[in-house]
Each structure stands twice: as C-alpha cells, then as structure tokens.
C-alpha cells in the first residue's frame, strides 16, 4: 500500500475525540482504528506489537545492525479534533494545483481560496488532498501515522539502509490534551522520540507554550430590579469587570511568535452566578507564572470590593514548555535538522503556539520534539495536505533512522 493510499484509508475512520466522556479513548471509533492499525502492523511483520485497553498501540522494527545504537521512536495520534466532524470524510486530490480557487462544496459555496489562505500559493504545481467542504480532512494527525508506517515499510524493503531499533507509538486523545496521560514511557523504551504532528514542510519544534486553565465563578445577589439599589450584586457585571482588568491586547487575536495571552473561552451566567473560563499561555516560564499571579490578584481585588467569596478561582497547570527538557539533549534536534537538509527540506525551527504530546512526554522522561507532518488549516473544512509534503516527511523519518545508526 502506497503512502497516499494508506492515508486515504486512514481518514475513512471516524476518530473524533470528545471532552465529555471521561474515558480513554474518549470515543469508540479510536479503538476501531487502533485495531485496524494493529492488524496492519502485524501484516507488515513488525515485532513487540501491543495495544492496551486505553488505545495505545506500540510496535518495533528491530535493528538490522550489530553495534549498539540508541533506540528511537516515532509517535502520532489517532484522534481528530472535536472542532469539526471527522465522519464520512470524502477527500479528493487536486493534481498539479494551478494557484486558483478550489471549490470544495459548490452547493454550500465552500471555497478554498488563496485570497483567504495565501499559503496555497506555496504549493502551486503540487498535488493537494482536500476535503469536500463538509468535514475536516484528518491530516492532523493521520498524515503522521501514514508517514511513519510508510517509512517503516520503506526501511524493511531497503535493508541496505542500516538502522537501530525503532519503536512506533500511536495514541488516542491528543486533541483534548490527554494523549500522553496514559502513555507508558518505560514500556515504550526509547532514548528519545519525535512526534510527527507539525504542519507545513520543514517545521521542527522543541518549544511550546506553558499552559494553565483558569475557571472563575462569580456569585451575585438577585433582588427585584425596582428595589435593587445597594442590595443587588449582578454577577454578570462583576464578571465583566474582572475580564476588563486583564490586558486588552494580550489575547490570541493580538499576539504571535513568542507572545503569550489570556484567552477567554467561555462566559456563562445570570444575575445570581456567572462562570468564565480562560486558558493562559506563555513560552517564558517566569512570565507564565506572573500571568497566573495576575489572575489571582484580580480575583482578590474583586473579593475586596464586593465581599469575600464573590469570586472563586480554580487554577490548574496543563503542561510546560519542553525546551527545558530538550536543551540538555540538543543532538536530537541536530539529527532532525541534518535529516531534513539531507532530503532537500529547509528546516524551519519555530515555537509551537500550542501544546503537543511531545511536551508532556518530555516531562515524563522521553525527550520528544515535533516534526512536520505536512498538513495545513487543521481542524476544519479548509484543511489540506500536499502529497509532496507527506513524501518529504516520510523521507525525513527514514533519514533520521539512518543518521542515528551511523553516529
């Protein structure tokens, strides 16, 4: 099965994860897909294949050399985003893309246009896999899975390429932040690994946000509005007062690069009670801690003004910047950098403005930077992946395996 054929088969599985179920995997479709992949890996002759009850699938390609070399891993996630349906995905291939608008769904007037997505023009002359405008595509991260499996097949078919022991790992629920929670690092047994979960060709990432969530509940006092003077406390207004205390331009729509933000993700309530939820993000650990302290201080100020217990804060760290775990082993970045250059890819080292399974795995003892899988416009109907990007990603995996073995 060729790379593209493999990818098109994978996206036919509905593996959308869910934040509501509180089980792992969060949806049954992910286990269906995991079992299919397990059978495929068995048919390819891999060893030490395990699939646990939580949907974590591991397998081994044995070394084909005698000298001791590090055991490395390649990891991708099986779920697709809850942001849009991944059911009945019906992709098509736009061959030799000419730079014009691509009509995804004529009846709903869904158009993938370079006027809105100028990155399309970087892929003129290439073959693009696009959606039918009604679902996401699933290149995040089934492109990564297809690339890893195809690279392993290539290494098996080309024994002249010498490599050490290679482990592959496919996990559920990355899109809801739980992909690494039940990942057994000791069982995986690698010196280091790479997640194949980045976007555009050349991306190489070993920095990500520090992340926390903040939920603030505001208690009000409801009184008939005609007789409310000096009695009513409108929790909606108090919540708005709190939101206005935060820096107006430290939001996702005003920041880029290494700039952090406070992101208001929900606001629900009435006069009696209102709840707001934020996510807090920053690459710099000191600034991250300062942002959390600012939230705490503003909650205290609200309570000082309206009465103790008016505002209640639930603040929880989610993940941290993996840079502090990667810097002591920067040779793993150097290897990926060299592999990209060797196969004609210009490395683009950049911070992740988000999280990754690799960050959590790095803090669990498995250094795990992120490499491009090739897709763009993830999580929606405008998602697409150039076939040439996927082919390059597959070659990078092969070259990393080769370079680790010859050092």
């Amino acid at each position: 099965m060729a790379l593209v054929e493999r990818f098109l088969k994978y996206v036919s599985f509905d593996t959308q994860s869910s934040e509501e179920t509180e089980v792992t995997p969060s949806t049954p479709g992910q286990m269906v897909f995991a079992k299919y992949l397990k059978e495929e890996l068995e048919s390819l002759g891999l060893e030490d294949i395990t699939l646990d009850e939580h949907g974590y699938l591991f397998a081994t390609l044995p070394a084909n050399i005698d000298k001791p070399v590090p055991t490395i891993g390649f990891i991708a996630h099986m779920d697709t985003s809850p942001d849009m349906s991944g059911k009945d995905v019906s992709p098509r291939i736009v061959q030799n893309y000419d730079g014009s608008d691509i009509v995804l769904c004529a009846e709903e007037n869904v158009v993938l246009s370079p006027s809105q997505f100028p990155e399309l023009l970087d892929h003129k002359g290439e073959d693009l896999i696009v959606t039918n405008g009604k679902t996401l595509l699933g290149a995040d991260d089934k492109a990564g899975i297809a690339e890893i499996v195809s690279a392993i097949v290539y290494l098996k078919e080309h024994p002249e390429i010498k490599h050490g022991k290679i482990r592959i790992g496919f996990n559920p629920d990355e899109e809801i932040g739980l992909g690494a929670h039940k990942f057994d690092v000791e069982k995986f047994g690698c010196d280091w690994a790479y997640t194949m979960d980045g976007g555009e060709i050349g991306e190489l990432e070993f920095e990500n946000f520090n992340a926390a969530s903040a939920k603030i509940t505001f208690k009000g006092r409801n009184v008939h509005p005609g007789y409310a003077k000096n009695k009513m406390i409108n929790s909606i207004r108090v919540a708005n007062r709190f939101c206005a205390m935060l820096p107006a331009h430290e939001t996702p729509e005003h920041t880029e690069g290494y700039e952090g933000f406070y992101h208001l993700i929900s606001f629900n309530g009435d006069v009696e009670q209102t709840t707001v939820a934020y996510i807090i993000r920053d690459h710099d650990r000191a600034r991250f801690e300062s942002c959390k302290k600012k939230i705490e201080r503003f909650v205290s100020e609200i309570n000082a003004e309206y009465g103790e217990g008016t505002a209640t804060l639930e603040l929880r760290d989610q993940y941290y910047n993996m840079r502090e775990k990667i810097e002591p082993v920067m040779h793993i970045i150097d290897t990926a950098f060299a592999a990209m250059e060797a196969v004609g890819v210009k490395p683009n080292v950049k911070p992740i403005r988000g999280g990754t399974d690799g960050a959590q795995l790095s803090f669990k003892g498995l250094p795990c930077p992120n490499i491009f899988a090739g897709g763009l416009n993830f999580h929606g109907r405008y998602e697409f992946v150039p076939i040439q990007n996927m082919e390059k990603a597959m070659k990078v995996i092969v070259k990393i395996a080769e370079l680790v073995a010859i050092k």
Side-chain angles (χ1 to χ4, degrees):
M1 189 186 297
L3 171 62
V4 173
E5 183 184 356
R6 184 170 279 119
F7 172 71
L8 295 178
K9 175 64 178 178
Y10 293 170
V11 299
S12 71
F13 289 87
D14 179 11
T15 60
Q16 186 175 5
S17 50
S18 169
E19 294 184 284
E20 310 301 324
T21 63
E22 297 185 354
V23 296
T24 307
S26 62
T27 51
Q30 295 183 70
M31 186 62 85
V32 172
F33 183 37
K35 289 177 179 177
Y36 171 85
L37 288 171
K38 180 175 183 284
E39 291 178 1
E40 182 180 10
L41 299 180
E42 288 170 345
S43 71
L44 295 174
L46 298 192
E47 300 180 4
D48 303 325
I49 301 172
T50 60
L51 173 61
D52 70 16
E53 69 274 21
H54 299 299
Y56 289 78
L57 175 61
F58 296 165
T60 298
L61 177 65
N64 63 1
I65 53 175
D66 294 330
K67 70 174 184 177
V69 297
T71 298
I72 61 171
F74 294 95
I75 298 168
H77 64 88
M78 295 179 287
D79 64 316
T80 60
S81 171
D83 292 351
M84 191 167 195
S85 173
K87 187 176 187 294
D88 299 325
V89 173
S90 181
R92 66 185 174 94
I93 299 175
V94 179
Q95 294 185 322
N96 192 23
Y97 173 59
D98 62 7
S100 63
D101 288 357
I102 301 172
V103 177
L104 302 178
C105 179
E107 63 264 30
E108 297 180 23
N109 194 31
V110 181
V111 179
L112 181 60
S113 172
S115 64
Q116 294 176 306
F117 303 100
E119 59 271 19
L120 275 165
L121 298 179
D122 295 331
H123 299 283
K124 284 180 66 173
E126 298 180 4
D127 305 314
L128 312 183
I129 304 178
V130 301
T131 75
N132 67 352
K134 298 179 180 180
T135 69
L136 49 67
L137 178 61
D140 179 15
D141 188 26
K142 288 167 183 167
I145 298 175
E147 291 152 6
I148 292 169
V149 175
S150 297
I152 294 298
V153 169
Y154 188 89
L155 286 168
K156 283 182 66 70
E157 292 175 348
H158 293 81
E160 71 277 9
I161 300 175
K162 301 305 177 186
H163 59 82
K165 180 180 177 181
I166 298 171
R167 291 281 275 165
I168 62 175
F170 302 138
N171 60 269
D173 292 336
E174 187 270 352
E175 297 292 359
I176 58 173
L178 299 175
H181 278 48
K182 295 179 180 177
F183 193 110
D184 190 333
V185 167
E186 185 176 352
K187 177 180 174 182
F188 196 53
C190 289
D191 293 272
W192 73 86
Y194 302 92
T195 48
M196 300 299 298
D197 191 24
E200 180 64 281
I201 188 169
E203 286 185 5
L204 174 57
E205 300 156 325
F206 63 94
E207 298 178 80
N208 59 280
F209 278 139
N210 296 290
S213 64
K215 178 182 175 183
I216 309 101
T217 302
F218 300 90
K219 297 285 189 181
R221 183 190 304 135
N222 201 359
V223 179
H224 187 289
Y227 308 95
K229 186 174 182 179
N230 298 326
K231 299 175 182 177
M232 177 185 285
I233 297 176
N234 189 328
S235 75
I236 302 172
R237 294 190 189 281
V238 178
N240 271 307
R241 174 76 180 276
F242 173 85
C243 293
M245 297 167 87
L246 292 170
H249 292 287
E250 292 183 25
T251 64
E253 55 267 45
H254 293 100
T255 52
E256 62 183 355
Y258 284 94
E259 297 169 333
F261 55 74
Y262 305 87
H263 180 30
L264 178 61
I265 58 173
S266 70
F267 190 116
N268 300 287
D270 52 29
V271 174
E272 283 280 354
Q273 180 170 304
T274 297
T275 301
V276 299
Y278 280 87
I279 59 172
I280 305 162
R281 301 289 188 264
D282 206 293
H283 285 92
D284 182 87
R285 186 65 176 265
R287 284 200 303 266
F288 172 65
E289 297 298 334
S290 175
C291 288
K292 292 190 294 179
K293 292 255 187 279
K294 192 174 291 185
I295 291 266
E296 292 173 335
R297 186 172 76 250
F298 292 159
V299 166
S300 295
E301 290 178 11
I302 290 289
N303 284 327
E305 181 173 351
Y306 292 95
E308 195 61 39
T310 300
T312 305
L313 171 64
E314 297 175 37
L315 186 62
R316 181 175 64 86
D317 285 359
Q318 295 171 305
Y319 53 83
Y320 303 109
N321 189 347
M322 73 170 118
R323 178 173 185 144
E324 65 181 84
K325 299 298 182 182
I326 301 298
E327 282 186 329
V329 288
M330 278 299 286
H331 66 89
I332 72 179
I333 300 299
D334 297 338
T335 298
F337 198 98
M340 288 187 191
E341 290 189 321
V343 301
V345 171
K346 182 180 179 181
N348 177 19
V349 179
K350 57 184 291 190
I352 305 171
R353 286 185 60 79
T356 168
D357 282 340
Q360 297 182 54
L361 292 172
S362 293
F363 280 89
K364 290 178 76 169
L366 178 66
C368 194
N370 192 42
I371 292 175
F372 72 94
L376 296 95
N377 298 341
F378 291 154
H379 298 187
R381 67 185 82 238
Y382 299 103
E383 184 181 5
F384 70 96
V385 60
I387 291 173
Q388 287 77 5
N389 279 13
M390 294 174 64
E391 291 171 342
K392 286 292 189 180
M394 187 194 94
K395 291 178 180 178
V396 168
I397 295 169
V398 171
K399 183 56 70 171
I400 287 174
E402 183 179 2
L403 291 177
V404 169
I406 63 177
K407 287 190 174 182

